[in-house]
Amino acid sequence: MVEKRGPVSGLVMTAALALLLAGCSSSDKPDPFAGKGSPKYTKAGPLPKGGGRRHVGKPYQVAGRTYYPTARPKPVEVGMASWYGPKFHRRKTANGEWFDMNYLSAAHKTMPLPSYVRVTNLENGRMVVVRVNDRGPFVGTRIIDLSKAAAARLGYLRKGKAKVKVEYLGPAPLGDDRVLLARLNRMSHAPRQTLIAAVKGRSVPETRPVMVARNERRRSHGAVSEGARIQPASAPGAGGYYVQVASFADPANAEAARARFSRIAPVEIRPVDVTGMRFWRVRLGPFESRSDAEMVLPRVAQAGVADARILVASN
């Protein structure tokens, strides 16, 4: 189980310690994984959202390594992600909020707190927008530690780690951000600049046009041609309804999904470029009506994809 990782997890336990270490030298030899000094929320009921402070912080040391928080983080990072949950649930984060393992949040070593980032699992193409309100992880080359809920969204809860792309979107509000965070996740596949505009409060569409391939040439093994042209979908009913089940960075994984879902309905694999990266979207169909597509959703959920959605596409 992931929770047996002990000190390798993502470190709500260092919340108070991270601030303390800003003024410590390596000669103090603090134990960065002691798990002490982070208060726990003891009141009954759900955890309050927000309520922390804006925080960047001075350089600090953990396990002999110095980290340099910055108000201008890298726009994009690629590396390994881990997750943390029950052991740190309801404890204070580095900026004074309460860690809720069931909320879409994360820990990062140097980003300003709180911030929003989009995280893409490069192994399956899933995306999630999270609130960064803690410091960590401080193990190996991991670049971000997600809450249990966020790791579940990205599909690596059992595995424990995944290679991800992290895109900085901007500062998060200090108050309760549940409405905004839900909106950002409804449009999580939008271009990065669109999400940045939404974070800044600018008016942007909730969703972008569904992108599908036209007149693609299939290879003998069934994958879609890299040269297929991507076109926006037309009006509902023009080309049928589809159930999109997953996206993959590796076309071989898409082919494995084809074999898995072909027992339910015809499977199509189509390429799409998202924020400069190519993914392979697996979808079932076409179906003549939306009701026909909706009848397939329970079987897709039983196969392990609870967040499948219905799309309308052109011929």
Side-chain angles (χ1 to χ4, degrees):
M1 296 296 291
V2 174
E3 286 305 313
K4 293 180 180 179
R5 293 178 298 160
V8 301
S9 95
L11 307 185
V12 169
M13 55 187 163
T14 62
L17 184 61
L19 303 180
L20 175 64
L21 291 180
C24 293
S25 67
S26 58
S27 61
D28 294 327
K29 296 181 180 179
D31 179 4
F33 306 121
K36 297 179 181 179
S38 183
K40 191 169 185 178
Y41 189 80
T42 57
K43 297 180 182 179
L47 286 166
K49 295 295 180 288
R53 58 170 181 150
R54 298 211 177 277
H55 179 66
V56 176
K58 300 177 181 179
Y60 63 95
Q61 291 186 348
V62 174
R65 183 173 178 180
T66 303
Y67 298 95
Y68 299 89
T70 177
R72 295 184 178 182
K74 294 179 181 178
V76 179
E77 292 180 88
V78 174
M80 298 302 296
S82 48
W83 67 270
Y84 60 132
K87 286 187 178 180
F88 316 108
H89 187 52
R90 303 175 76 86
R91 291 193 177 275
K92 266 198 174 181
T93 68
N95 76 325
E97 299 179 23
W98 299 105
F99 173 64
D100 184 345
M101 69 178 182
N102 300 310
Y103 199 61
L104 300 179
S105 64
H108 190 277
K109 293 183 283 287
T110 59
M111 278 187 184
L113 307 178
S115 295
Y116 285 131
V117 299
R118 172 168 62 185
V119 185
T120 303
N121 185 340
L122 297 179
E123 297 170 12
N124 60 19
R126 293 189 183 185
M127 296 179 173
V128 67
V129 177
V130 299
R131 178 185 182 91
V132 179
N133 59 6
D134 206 1
R135 289 289 181 231
F138 301 112
V139 175
T141 58
R142 299 177 195 179
I143 62 172
I144 195 167
D145 220 358
L146 299 185
S147 66
K148 181 179 179 181
R153 286 278 190 100
L154 292 184
Y156 72 91
L157 200 58
R158 289 184 177 275
K159 186 177 178 181
K161 294 187 296 182
K163 187 175 182 179
V164 300
K165 178 171 71 170
V166 177
E167 299 169 273
Y168 178 72
L169 302 178
L174 289 179
D176 188 336
D177 70 340
R178 281 176 287 190
V179 173
L180 176 56
L181 189 58
R183 183 187 181 208
L184 292 172
N185 275 285
R186 286 196 299 270
M187 52 193 296
S188 62
H189 283 78
R192 178 171 175 263
Q193 291 303 317
T194 300
L195 288 173
I196 290 174
V199 168
K200 292 180 177 179
R202 298 175 186 168
S203 178
V204 296
E206 283 281 327
T207 58
R208 63 176 183 165
V210 177
M211 305 300 284
V212 300
R214 280 189 179 181
N215 302 323
E216 64 271 20
R217 292 176 294 124
R218 296 183 180 276
R219 297 175 183 155
S220 58
H221 57 71
V224 179
S225 167
E226 289 280 345
R229 293 193 303 115
I230 306 298
Q231 299 288 346
S234 58
Y241 295 80
Y242 292 82
V243 174
Q244 181 171 306
V245 297
S247 298
F248 300 91
D250 186 345
N253 291 335
E255 286 300 324
R258 181 201 295 277
R260 178 182 178 188
F261 291 101
S262 61
R263 294 171 295 179
I264 298 176
V267 179
E268 290 191 358
I269 300 175
R270 297 177 181 264
V272 64
D273 293 324
V274 179
T275 61
M277 296 187 64
R278 169 141 296 190
F279 291 95
W280 303 86
R281 289 185 174 171
V282 178
R283 62 185 193 173
L284 309 185
F287 302 96
E288 291 186 359
S289 67
R290 185 179 184 88
S291 61
D292 288 340
E294 288 174 345
M295 290 178 65
V296 172
L297 286 176
R299 297 184 63 188
V300 173
Q302 290 175 359
V305 182
D307 57 351
R309 58 196 179 98
I310 296 175
L311 307 179
V312 181
S314 61
N315 289 313

